[in-house]
Amino acid sequence: QKEVEQNSGPLSVPEGAIASLNCTYSDRGSQSFFWYRQYSGKSPELIMFIYSNGDKEDGRFTAQLNKASQYVSLLIRDSQPSDSATYLCAVARYNFNKFYFGSGTKLNVKP
Amino acid sequence: GAVVSQHPSWVICKSGTSVKIECRSLDFQATTMFWYRQFPKQSLMLMATSNEGSKATYEQGVEKDKFLINHASLTLSTLTVTSAHPEDSSFYICSARQGLAGAGGTGELFFGEGSRLTVL
């Protein structure tokens, strides 16, 4: 079983719509959860992180965490073509000494 | 956010040569840095965890004699690919952790720009 699982996509949404990206993790000892965006040929950039159950909002992005279900999601409101990228879910364990990445979900936002 | 600089961005070398990649945290001290490699259309694969002043911890299947990691200071870690071969061609990415919550940081990873290695 993989540490972090994501649907590889591609997920296609029209411009202005809400994009919903999902991630599940296997270890209940996971401490914190991160969403990274990676454009083709570039390194990942941090979008946001979440530690506690519930929602965390930052601009057009909302991260949702449900530890009981071992589920993390990222919502992107008012999606823009520039949001088209691969989104990586990452989980930290062992006091942030181990980070596990999902395989990423490719998002296409169509103008 | 924090800045991590990686150099070189691109490197082309002949088979059998060694290549060194540097990773620097520019505005924070990083006791721990991580080295990843990424093949096209695949996710990041953790190679090793680099700890300042001690030996790196390698993931299973990663040859420590081939991928030499040195973390000599709180702001610099290096990865040397020794006797590189075409199958070592990949995108190598370093990342640094910005401390922990309550210690001046929130623990998230910041990535360098990546180094694309092509071995001829």
Side-chain angles (χ1 to χ4, degrees):
Chain A
Q1 183 184 12
K2 291 183 179 178
E3 296 279 352
V4 182
E5 301 240 28
Q6 291 181 259
N7 188 320
S8 61
L11 172 66
S12 292
V13 300
E15 184 175 357
I18 296 176
S20 178
L21 304 162
N22 304 315
C23 168
T24 58
Y25 59 96
S26 62
D27 193 306
R28 290 189 176 275
S30 301
Q31 297 165 288
S32 54
F33 309 86
F34 304 85
W35 283 100
Y36 288 85
R37 176 174 61 196
Q38 186 176 27
Y39 292 109
S40 181
K42 302 293 185 181
S43 66
E45 55 180 331
L46 180 68
I47 296 176
M48 60 190 307
F49 58 89
I50 185 168
Y51 298 149
S52 304
N53 274 329
D55 295 359
K56 180 180 179 183
E57 186 174 320
D58 184 0
R60 295 187 295 114
F61 300 95
T62 299
Q64 299 174 316
L65 173 61
N66 183 326
K67 289 188 177 180
S69 300
Q70 295 174 235
Y71 176 90
V72 193
S73 66
L74 179 70
L75 300 178
I76 306 174
R77 289 181 298 281
D78 189 23
S79 296
Q80 301 297 310
S82 58
D83 294 327
S84 297
T86 296
Y87 288 79
L88 302 172
C89 171
V91 170
R93 284 165 43 195
Y94 304 111
N95 204 27
F96 295 88
N97 284 315
K98 283 284 191 181
F99 287 79
Y100 298 91
F101 283 83
S103 56
T105 298
K106 186 174 176 58
L107 173 67
N108 290 329
V109 181
K110 298 181 178 180
Chain B
V3 179
V4 176
S5 176
Q6 194 172 336
H7 176 81
S9 301
W10 295 83
V11 57
I12 301 173
C13 68
K14 292 183 179 180
S15 184
T17 61
S18 294
V19 174
K20 179 185 282 189
I21 301 170
E22 293 188 348
C23 179
R24 294 180 185 272
S25 56
L26 298 184
D27 54 358
F28 66 100
Q29 293 184 328
T31 55
T32 303
M33 291 184 175
F34 304 89
W35 287 95
Y36 294 85
R37 66 189 295 183
Q38 186 177 35
F39 292 106
K41 298 184 179 181
Q42 295 187 25
S43 189
L44 302 170
M45 184 193 82
L46 178 65
M47 299 176 66
T49 302
S50 169
N51 297 298
E52 186 267 336
S54 64
K55 291 183 179 180
T57 302
Y58 289 81
E59 295 298 302
Q60 191 173 11
V62 178
E63 300 176 59
K64 62 180 181 180
D65 294 331
K66 181 167 185 65
F67 299 100
L68 300 179
I69 292 172
N70 183 278
H71 195 153
S73 76
L74 287 172
T75 59
L76 174 64
S77 177
T78 61
L79 167 68
T80 301
V81 182
T82 62
S83 186
H85 288 91
E87 59 265 31
D88 298 323
S89 299
S90 187
F91 191 44
Y92 292 87
I93 312 174
C94 74
S95 65
R97 191 187 69 197
Q98 195 195 15
L100 299 176
T106 50
E108 63 262 40
L109 283 181
F110 293 93
F111 285 87
E113 305 94 329
S115 299
R116 189 164 300 283
L117 170 64
T118 302
V119 184
L120 302 176

